[in-house]
Each structure stands twice: as C-alpha cells, then as structure tokens.
Amino acid sequence: MTDMILHHYPNSPYSEKVRIAFGVKKAAWKSVTIPNMLPKPDLMPLTGGYRKTPVMQVGADIYCDTQLIMLEIEKRAPTPPLLPKGREGEARALAMWIDRNIFWAAVGVVMGALGDKLPEAFLKDRAAFSGRSFDAAALKAAASVALQQTHAQLVMAEQMLADGRSYLLGDAPCLADCALYNPVWFIKERLGSGKPVPPLDRLPLITAWSERMKAAGSGSPTEIRAADAIAIAKAATPEATSVDANDPSGLKAGQTVSVTPDDTGKVPVSGTLVGLTNDRVSIQRHDEQVGDVVVHFPRAGFVITPA
C-alpha cells in the first residue's frame, strides 16, 4: 500500500487531530515538517495554493482539510474504526460542530494569552489567513468572551461523558473524539504547564478523557524530506475517481472549476473536475515540480465555482 504522508508542523492543532487518529489506529505514516506560515514553497506545488495545515498525500493524490483526511485514513487503515457502525453521521456531525465552533473559541483563549508574545510576522500571517484581527491588544480584549464560549461548549461534551462512558460515543474513541482532542490539546499544550487551566480546570471529565486520548500516541511516524514527497508525487499516477452524473450541482466531468474554503484561507485552487461524490470534490492539475496530481477537498465547507 502506498504510504500516507502528512505535511504538518508540531504545534498545529488540526495536525494533532490527525496524529491522534494515527495513534488510535497504531498506523505507520510518513511525516514532512512544513513552515507554520507562508511561504510554503514545497507544499504549494502539491496543493495548487491551498495553504491550510495539515495536508495528506498518498502518491499523487493530495487530500485537503481534516474532514476528508480523516475519511481517507479510515479507508486506508480501517481498524479500529473511527466511524462507529450505524453512527457514522453522528460522529461526522459532532466533528464538524467541534471544528467550526469549539476550535475557534479555543484559539481565542490561547491567542488572548499569548498574542503579545508571538512574532509580528506570525500575527500578520494569521490575520490574512483568517480574515480576523490578530492584533495582540484586540486578542487580549476578546479573551474573556472566548473563554466563556469555550467553556459553554465544552460543557456539552462534559455532559456526554457524565454517564460513565469513556469516549464521546461509547467505549472506544471515534472521529468526534479526535476532533475534540484538537482544541483541548491546543489549550493544554500552549497554556497548561502541567496543570489544568481555564476552562479545563472546571471540566474534570474532559480532563480525564484527554489523558485517555493522549495515551493513544501518534502511531509510527517516519520523517522524510519535502523533496522526497515531491519526488513520490511526480513518480506516481493519481488513483481513479469519477463524477456523479446526477450530482445536484449540475457539474460535469472535465469542467474547469475552482474550489475554495468558505471560512479561512480562502485561496481558490483550480483544475479539471475528475471526481465528485457526496463527501468530496477532486480536481486534476499539473505542476512542473510534481507532475499530474489530483487534489481532493470535502464538499461541506468548500465552494465549487465553474470557470
């Protein structure tokens, strides 16, 4: 089987969502460490401009956004499952809620505490990326609201664990647990210093749950160079995909389209439509450095625009 290659950096919270999934599955994977802000000269040829972290590569197939990356890991390393049988939609819906709501509140908590300690170049990069103010004073002023919102939403997850279950949907970790570990890990990693910090100091079940999740580790990573990943893509052929002729969008195979995130990092990626299903859109593109690749995006949260 072709190796799963994760392009990421250590402090990336969304990358931790994927790394913990590798840990749950005890999976082997290849690791490429990328910069935490632009420029990303070795990643852009693969993605066509998509700049979010992480990105997963399998040969000449490039998977963007953790929504889709997690589904692809599930397909390639199916045991133990992250999508409980009969509750697949529930796990995915919970993960989407966490990604879109709890995560950004948690970012406000961390940035409110650390914003005045971060390099100016990083703050400017994240302001351009998010379309939100990353001025240190504004971040600090908003920290109280972010803390309240993070606590209010984590309480819901705390209540899910109140019946004694070990994980959000039962006795084994699922996709929703990996998603929730992302913001909880981010707060603990950046602010914890070995002890519970607000709002986690008022959430004992979440704190204990996070230690169970942490014990899963990150699987078996092997570091490779970015140049190696580019060479792998150039030597490979993308896997076959197909376009649903009855897709409600009316889009057809062979059209030139652009795909753009609807929340942050709104950089359109253009190419030829070669795959369209309920959960993903796939476009083929060519780059001199990497050759022909297919870049895959989730449907939810991404806008497809015909050229």
Side-chain angles (χ1 to χ4, degrees):
M1 184 179 75
T2 307
D3 291 324
M4 294 181 285
I5 304 170
L6 189 68
H7 298 256
H8 66 125
Y9 59 87
N11 289 336
S12 162
Y14 272 109
S15 298
E16 186 64 12
K17 174 182 172 181
V18 177
R19 293 187 294 249
I20 201 71
F22 284 137
V24 169
K25 291 178 176 292
K26 296 180 171 55
W29 53 286
K30 297 292 193 292
S31 166
V32 176
T33 301
I34 63 174
N36 67 352
M37 58 182 175
L38 295 178
K40 300 181 181 183
D42 296 317
L43 184 65
M44 295 300 104
L46 292 167
T47 68
Y50 177 84
R51 58 157 295 180
K52 292 187 179 187
T53 305
V55 167
M56 192 172 83
Q57 172 190 352
V58 181
D61 288 277
I62 313 301
Y63 299 93
C64 300
D65 195 276
T66 57
Q67 275 191 82
L68 187 55
I69 290 171
M70 299 293 270
L71 294 182
E72 199 59 30
I73 292 171
E74 184 78 346
K75 183 174 80 174
R76 295 173 185 275
T79 55
L82 292 177
L83 294 172
K85 188 170 179 59
R87 305 183 75 181
E88 296 90 344
E90 188 176 352
R92 291 182 64 186
L94 281 171
M96 191 75 170
W97 159 61
I98 292 161
D99 287 349
R100 289 292 179 115
N101 291 278
I102 297 180
F103 172 75
W104 281 109
V107 167
V109 172
V110 172
M111 293 303 174
L114 300 181
D116 57 356
K117 301 177 180 66
L118 295 171
E120 187 64 27
F122 180 84
L123 293 173
K124 287 182 178 179
D125 177 84
R126 288 306 188 265
F129 168 77
S130 66
R132 309 177 187 186
S133 172
F134 266 67
D135 172 75
L139 291 170
K140 194 169 288 292
S144 175
V145 172
L147 180 64
Q148 293 175 50
Q149 288 302 308
T150 304
H151 178 259
Q153 296 196 72
L154 284 177
V155 163
M156 300 178 200
E158 180 91 353
Q159 290 170 341
M160 293 176 70
L161 298 170
D163 61 2
R165 68 183 76 175
S166 296
Y167 300 97
L168 294 180
L169 291 184
D171 295 330
C174 71
L175 174 62
D177 293 281
C178 296
L180 187 63
Y181 189 67
N182 160 10
V184 172
W185 173 87
F186 192 42
I187 292 171
K188 291 177 66 177
E189 186 76 9
R190 303 311 300 269
L191 305 181
S193 301
K195 60 181 180 180
V197 295
L200 302 178
D201 57 346
R202 300 175 61 187
L203 299 164
L205 298 179
I206 290 291
T207 300
W209 161 89
S210 71
E211 291 302 311
R212 290 193 291 275
M213 290 295 294
K214 182 179 180 180
S218 56
S220 301
T222 302
E223 192 74 24
I224 65 171
R225 301 176 305 150
D228 297 329
I230 287 174
I232 288 168
K234 192 160 190 176
T237 300
E239 296 178 2
T241 56
S242 62
V243 174
D244 179 2
N246 297 315
D247 189 87
S249 68
L251 294 166
K252 303 299 180 186
Q255 279 187 263
T256 300
V257 299
S258 64
V259 184
T260 311
D262 70 1
D263 54 355
T264 58
K266 296 181 180 181
V267 179
V269 179
S270 298
T272 302
L273 183 68
V274 294
L276 194 64
T277 68
N278 287 333
D279 60 28
R280 70 187 65 195
V281 54
S282 307
I283 60 174
Q284 185 164 11
R285 47 179 308 278
H286 179 83
D287 183 279
E288 289 301 319
Q289 284 184 257
V290 300
D292 291 323
V293 296
V294 171
V295 189
H296 307 266
F297 304 89
R299 292 294 292 270
F302 283 75
V303 178
I304 311 169
T305 306

